[in-house]
């Protein structure tokens, strides 16, 4: 079992990263080390998501560093300053639609940013004889989307061939290959995980589940791409992060693990479930919300179906999910209904103004 002391979490102000930091500091007594959160605070990063933890653990077990993973000098300095022994690399541009509209940032952050981190780690962890320490770890967070699109049956396993089809997934696939290349070529101790669609608190409200929850509450149109019959596999963010934590501790160096929810839903069916749930909790008329469903032009290259075979992490590392879909969706809806100021801060531009005053212009 690895003993992790100084964990550099990249993208810790984003959806999955901030939930990961919460999990470690609030729920994992086995973790006694320090987290350094490196985040550029792009439109998707929200440092307010961790304001309470910064108050509780700030300066001792939690430090925030505002910066870009592509900035080699800055990243090198962080490795030195904190004696980083572990990297958990979440930072990425993550929204497929944005990658279709403007792919360049995706290639910069997801490919060049990952390369910069890997090379900085290799340099920082190199020993006098040129070999790399074996008490360190670079864990890379990736996606099921690198495997492409499935037909009606089957599931992606760790040995499925890569077949990315959007600029987002192509960039993530490139970063996965770089991670493996750094392991095979330089002996960098790495692990890698590919996960299906996450849902839960703190997700930026452009992704399907939070967007639909908020639009239902606000009586806005509910845009469904194409025929609405695309299928995604949904996993609660905390279950995903427990999988990451399990890999950090006990995952075999050089191995990749798929993490999934074994929980496939057609988008349109999921939307009807959300309409019922949100309407019940918010005291709204579900039929009125159903009337706002709007079938819109399909996403170009829209992957039809994702499904993950996660038997390897279950069998080899003993990971299991704790949160069923009904419970997870209820928790998620409750969170968005209770945390309107988090959403309003983003939507009103108030949060952006605060970041610019405190951290300077955002990218
Ligand atoms: P997110 O978009 O919510 O957060 C990304 C974070 O990275 C933000 O805080 C942003 O400010 C930061 N960031 C972006 N560019 C940066 C840069 N150049 N330097 C430093 N920080 C930068 O994303 P998420 O949904 O939390 O996803 C996290 C990771 O998990 C990504 O690598 C993504 O590919 C992967 N993933 C996500 C899902 C999902 O369903 N959300 C599923 C599988 C894998
Ligand atoms: P999304 O949350 O963007 O995640 P991903 O593309 O990474 O799977 O989308 C989930 C599914 O929902 C995907 O099939 C696209 C679809 N979708 C809509 O139908 N309408 C929307 O407004 C959004 C954002 C997504």
């Amino acid at each position: 079992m690895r003993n992790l002391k100084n964990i550099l979490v990249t993208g810790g102000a984003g959806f999955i990263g901030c939930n990961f930091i919460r999990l470690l500091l609030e729920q994992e007594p086995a973790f006694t080390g320090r987290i350094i959160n490196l985040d550029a605070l792009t439109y998707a990063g929200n440092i307010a998501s961790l304001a309470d933890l910064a108050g509780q653990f700030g300066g001792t077990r939690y430090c925030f560093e505002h910066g870009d993973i592509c900035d080699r000098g800055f990243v090198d300095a962080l490795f030195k300053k904190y004696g980083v022994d572990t990297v958990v690399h979440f930072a990425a541009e993550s929204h497929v639609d944005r990658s279709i509209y403007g792919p360049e940032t995706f290639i910069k952050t997801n490919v060049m940013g990952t390369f910069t981190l890997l090379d900085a780690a290799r340099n920082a962890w190199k020993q006098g004889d040129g070999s790399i320490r074996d008490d360190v770890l670079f864990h890379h967070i990736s996606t099921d989307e690198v495997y492409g699109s499935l037909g009606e049956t089957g599931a992606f396993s760790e040995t499925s061939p890569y077949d990315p089809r959007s600029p987002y997934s192509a960039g993530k696939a490139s970063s996965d290959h770089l991670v493996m290349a750094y392991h095979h070529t330089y002996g960098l101790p790495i692990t890698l995980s590919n996960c299906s669609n996450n849902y839960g608190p703190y997700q930026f409200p452009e992704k399907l589940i939070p967007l639909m929850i908020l639009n239902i509450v606000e009586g806005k149109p509910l845009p469904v791409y194409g025929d609405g019959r695309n299928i995604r596999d949904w996993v609660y963010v905390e279950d995903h992060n427990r999988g990451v934590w399990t890999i950090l501790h006990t995952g075999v160096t050089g191995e990749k693990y798929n993490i999934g929810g074994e929980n496939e839903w057609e988008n349109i069916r999921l939307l009807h479930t959300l309409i019922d749930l949100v309407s019940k909790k918010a005291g709204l008329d579900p039929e009125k919300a159903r009337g706002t469903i709007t079938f819109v032009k399909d996403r170009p290259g829209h992957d039809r179906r994702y499904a993950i075979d996660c038997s390897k992490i279950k069998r080899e590392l003993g990971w299991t999910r704790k949160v069923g879909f009904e419970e997870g969706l209820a928790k998620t809806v409750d969170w968005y209904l209770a945390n309107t100021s988090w959403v309003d801060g983003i939507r009103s531009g108030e949060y952006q103004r605060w970041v610019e005053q405190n951290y300077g212009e955002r990218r």
Side-chain angles (χ1 to χ4, degrees), residues 67-258:
D68 193 322
I69 56 167
C70 300
D71 181 344
R72 177 63 190 259
F74 182 68
V75 173
D76 280 342
L78 288 188
F79 271 89
K80 273 208 188 87
K81 180 175 171 188
Y82 293 103
V84 170
D85 54 40
T86 312
V87 176
V88 185
H89 177 32
F90 292 97
E93 289 293 336
S94 69
H95 191 42
V96 174
D97 294 326
R98 286 182 191 255
S99 84
I100 295 166
Y101 175 73
E104 195 176 341
T105 338
F106 284 72
I107 303 309
K108 275 190 187 142
T109 288
N110 299 2
V111 183
M112 286 308 293
T114 303
F115 159 71
T116 305
L117 285 169
L118 285 165
D119 210 56
R122 172 169 87 100
N123 184 54
W125 294 339
K126 202 162 28 179
Q127 305 180 106
D129 65 357
S131 66
I132 294 185
R133 284 165 55 184
D134 59 9
D135 59 345
V136 292
L137 184 70
F138 188 111
H139 181 77
H140 180 58
I141 308 289
S142 192
T143 169
D144 57 1
E145 302 192 26
V146 298
Y147 300 119
S149 182
L150 286 167
E152 282 180 12
T153 56
F156 301 125
S157 78
E158 287 80 359
T159 54
S160 297
Y162 276 33
D163 183 22
R165 293 151 43 101
S166 72
Y168 164 66
S169 53
K172 292 298 290 187
S174 309
S175 66
D176 290 13
H177 291 318
L178 279 169
V179 170
M180 282 303 180
Y182 265 68
H183 175 63
H184 291 298
T185 308
Y186 303 114
L188 191 77
I190 64 98
T191 43
L192 199 160
S193 52
N194 295 73
C195 190
S196 55
N197 286 56
N198 284 225
Y199 69 100
Y202 301 105
Q203 186 166 30
F204 192 83
E206 66 184 352
K207 302 276 169 73
L208 182 74
I209 289 185
L211 177 84
M212 292 302 180
I213 294 173
L214 296 171
N215 283 11
I216 294 166
V217 171
E218 292 163 4
K220 290 186 181 161
L222 307 173
V224 175
Y225 298 168
D227 63 2
R229 301 200 58 194
N230 300 67
I231 293 176
R232 296 293 181 265
D233 168 45
W234 295 95
V235 63
Y236 194 60
V237 63
E238 230 172 71
D239 278 332
H240 172 202
N241 282 332
R242 273 196 208 94
V244 172
W245 177 236
T246 305
I247 297 169
L248 293 182
H249 265 304
T250 54
V252 176
T253 302
E255 287 292 310
K256 84 198 288 269
Y257 299 89
N258 282 353

Side-chain angles (χ1 to χ4, degrees), residues 241-293:
N241 282 332
R242 273 196 208 94
V244 172
W245 177 236
T246 305
I247 297 169
L248 293 182
H249 265 304
T250 54
V252 176
T253 302
E255 287 292 310
K256 84 198 288 269
Y257 299 89
N258 282 353
I259 302 177
E262 294 171 300
N263 176 40
E264 292 179 45
W265 285 73
E266 270 186 0
N267 292 337
I268 189 70
R269 199 176 131 234
L270 173 55
L271 178 54
H272 282 291
T273 303
L274 273 176
I275 288 174
D276 289 333
L277 186 62
V278 174
S279 303
K280 193 167 166 206
K281 285 183 180 287
L284 301 167
D285 175 5
E287 295 319 313
K288 207 170 158 195
R290 271 185 243 291
T292 65
I293 293 177

